[in-house]
Structure formats: structure tokens, C-alpha cells
Amino acid sequence: MRLIGVLFGFLFMISSVFSQDQVVQLWDDIPNSQETDEKEDVKQGDILKIYTVKTPTLEIYVPAKRHATDKAVVICPGGGYHFLSYDWEGTDVAKWFNSKGITAFVLKYRLPTSKSLKTAHEAPLQDAQRAMRWVRAHAEDYDINPNKIGVIGFSAGGHLASTLGTRFDAPNTFKEQPLDTISARPDFMALIYPVITMKQGFVHMGSRDRLLGKSPNQALITKYSNELQVSKKTPPTFLVHSSDDHAVPVENSIKFYSALKSEGVDAELHIYPYGKHGYSLAINKGRLQTWTDRMDDWLRSF
């Protein structure tokens, strides 16, 4: 009996080590929301997709202590503002960052198609701002330098990341808690085949329709065309895109890079001749797979 008791105690201890704080809720009282009969929908196929996010969270991935750096990153998966490619552009990417000693936080953010939102286009940025503030507030808990916290986004997640990078100081429209007064500015930003513009010509219409509605006014289009929102305060940015991307044209990244350059913001742009759209880590895709090596090189400057 004594042996069984010791064994159960050991198993409980191991369980506690591996389960504590792995997923945290971002809000006690979720702003800009209302009660509906919607339920969060998770579909597992080749990619784990999450629809109709009800409870925004951060899933935390911590590297082995012996090779941990003091850097961290918030990851915004893509999915056209319709769903989140949660493993493909989220948790798999978090594990890559861990392999480089970087603590990673996968953001499960609210999607603007939800009936549970009062002002749909505001919700993703609210969650991204809160995520950055939460990580900065808890930096000491994870041995993170609060001045070395970045954001990375893929596709529509790249639009959210670049919205955070250009409008991190957007005022809160809800009753603030002390956490909401912390800076939400990322210290660096990586945008991978990102949606950037909401203007006709190079816009990804699916993302625009879901974020802004079918007939947005010009002020809203301008507000969320992030190439128009770049300032000298926008963080240093790393961009990757492919010339044959017919879903989100490469001009999205080119326009953002040009805006960064005009404002004197440190920027690095890699354009590959192939890859199309949505390749995540690009494993087994020839030299396209080396985009993460280029980002690793770039991250050494922070």
C-alpha cells in the first residue's frame, strides 16, 4: 500500500509539472461580447481548425531551461478570419521557436464572423493587445525580458499581427483593468505571407469581407489597410512571401515593406519564386523551407 501511495504521489507531481499554466484565459470578463447560443467548433483533419472562438486563450510553450533565451513570441495563426489553423500555423510553429530557445504563446483569438461580438472588427485586435500585455506582465514568471517580446502572424493572422504592430496603442473601448494599461507594442514582428491591405487591387476579399463586412466604408478600409498605418513606432519587421501566391498577392508584403522603409523602420523582406499560400514551416518544400533559417538569423539581433 505504501508503494502504491508513493507511486500515485509521483504521478501527481509529474502531472502537475506538465499541466500547470499551459493554457490561460485572456479575460475574466470578455469585452465586446454578448450571450448567444454559439459554441466553439473544433475540427480535426489534416489541419486542426477552430471556428467560432468563444474564449480567447494563450497556449504556452516553454523551451528546455538549459537552452532557453530571454525572448518570447505571440503566435497568430491564419485562416482568413474564418477559422484558426491552430496546429499548422500555431502549435507546430511554437515548437520550432522552442527549438531556438524562445518561449512561445499561441493566441486563440476571436473571429469576426461570430454572432457573439458586438463590434466584430474590434475583437481580434482587442485579444492581440491583451495577449501582448499578459505576456509582458508575466515575463518574470517565464524568465522573459519584457523588452524582447515579439509577434508572428500567418496570412490573416499576419494581418492581425501587423494591426497590432501599427495600432498597438489603439484605445480600449471597455472598462480597463490594470493589465490593460501595459504597453501592447511588440518589440519585433514577423509576417508570413500576410494579408496587409484592405484596398481593392491586392486585397484578400475573404479576409476583408469577414473582418469589415461586405460593404465597409472608406474610413474602415483605410483603418485596416496596415500599409497606411505604419509609423516610426512600428517595430522592426521580418516578412516572407511567395511570388506565385494567388490567394494573398505578394504586393501585400511589398507595400508593407515600402511603408516601413519610408518611415525608417528596420525591415527585412524575403520573396521566394514558389510556394503559393499557406505553407507554414514549408517542410519538404526545397529552399522555401529555409525561410525559418533566415528568421532565426534575423532574431539574433534582438
Side-chain angles (χ1 to χ4, degrees):
M1 291 294 292
R2 179 186 172 98
L3 180 59
I4 292 174
V6 171
L7 179 61
F8 271 109
F10 177 74
L11 291 174
F12 177 78
M13 180 185 71
I14 293 296
S15 174
S16 298
V17 168
F18 283 99
S19 64
Q20 64 179 3
D21 292 337
Q22 291 307 300
V23 178
V24 296
Q25 293 189 17
L26 282 177
W27 306 95
D28 295 323
D29 184 17
I30 302 173
N32 187 26
S33 64
Q34 57 194 1
E35 285 296 323
T36 69
D37 59 357
E38 282 185 330
K39 296 192 182 331
E40 196 166 289
D41 186 14
V42 180
K43 294 183 178 177
Q44 179 69 72
D46 290 344
I47 296 173
L48 176 65
K49 297 180 179 180
I50 303 178
Y51 298 80
T52 321
V53 171
K54 294 285 288 182
T55 305
T57 62
L58 283 174
E59 185 167 355
I60 305 165
Y61 285 77
V62 180
K65 198 170 186 66
R66 287 186 65 180
H67 71 242
T69 69
D70 60 352
K71 300 187 188 88
V73 65
V74 173
I75 302 171
C76 302
Y81 283 123
H82 179 46
F83 59 85
L84 301 181
S85 297
Y86 194 74
D87 53 359
W88 182 245
E89 294 170 342
T91 57
D92 281 4
V93 177
K95 294 168 189 173
W96 180 88
F97 275 108
N98 280 181
S99 76
K100 303 301 177 181
I102 298 171
T103 304
F105 300 80
V106 182
L107 175 60
K108 187 180 75 171
Y109 57 90
R110 287 173 291 168
L111 297 161
T113 52
S114 172
K115 296 184 296 183
S116 299
L117 302 177
K118 293 179 180 177
T119 305
H121 63 83
E122 291 182 353
L125 178 58
Q126 288 170 336
D127 292 346
Q129 286 177 304
R130 176 51 89 102
M132 186 60 61
R133 288 167 172 148
W134 190 96
V135 174
R136 192 158 274 137
H138 291 84
E140 187 175 345
D141 299 338
Y142 297 95
D143 295 320
I144 294 166
N145 184 329
N147 298 313
K148 293 184 181 181
I149 304 170
V151 66
I152 183 173
F154 296 77
S155 193
H159 184 266
L160 176 55
S162 62
T163 304
L164 178 65
T166 53
R167 295 180 49 229
F168 51 85
D169 54 358
N172 295 315
T173 56
F174 51 85
K175 185 178 179 180
E176 291 184 339
Q177 296 181 355
L179 184 60
D180 300 307
T181 63
I182 295 172
S183 172
R185 180 185 179 273
D187 295 301
F188 55 88
M189 182 162 60
L191 308 176
I192 315 305
Y193 43 84
V195 175
I196 294 292
T197 191
M198 294 286 131
K199 296 172 65 178
Q200 291 287 355
F202 302 114
V203 63
H204 180 250
M205 286 303 298
S207 293
R208 187 176 103 163
D209 287 350
R210 295 180 192 108
L211 183 65
L212 306 183
K214 295 285 188 180
S215 302
N217 60 44
Q218 190 57 51
L220 208 55
I221 291 171
T222 299
K223 187 176 185 178
Y224 285 95
S225 290
N226 292 334
E227 78 278 14
L228 303 178
Q229 304 303 325
V230 172
S231 73
K232 296 188 185 306
K233 295 181 180 179
T234 303
T237 303
F238 176 90
L239 297 114
V240 172
H241 224 116
S242 295
S243 296
D244 63 351
D245 189 335
H246 302 303
V248 179
V250 68
E251 282 80 5
N252 280 262
S253 285
I254 292 172
K255 284 178 175 291
F256 198 72
Y257 173 82
S258 295
L260 292 164
K261 184 179 176 184
S262 294
E263 291 293 336
V265 177
D266 183 274
E268 185 169 320
L269 170 61
H270 294 267
I271 298 176
Y272 291 83
Y274 68 93
K276 297 184 179 178
H277 189 75
Y279 41 78
S280 182
L281 299 173
I283 294 171
N284 294 326
K285 291 192 177 293
R287 75 177 188 272
L288 184 60
Q289 182 173 328
T290 66
W291 79 258
T292 53
D293 297 328
R294 305 291 73 74
M295 183 171 66
D296 185 34
D297 293 339
W298 177 76
L299 285 167
R300 295 177 196 279
S301 60
F302 299 98

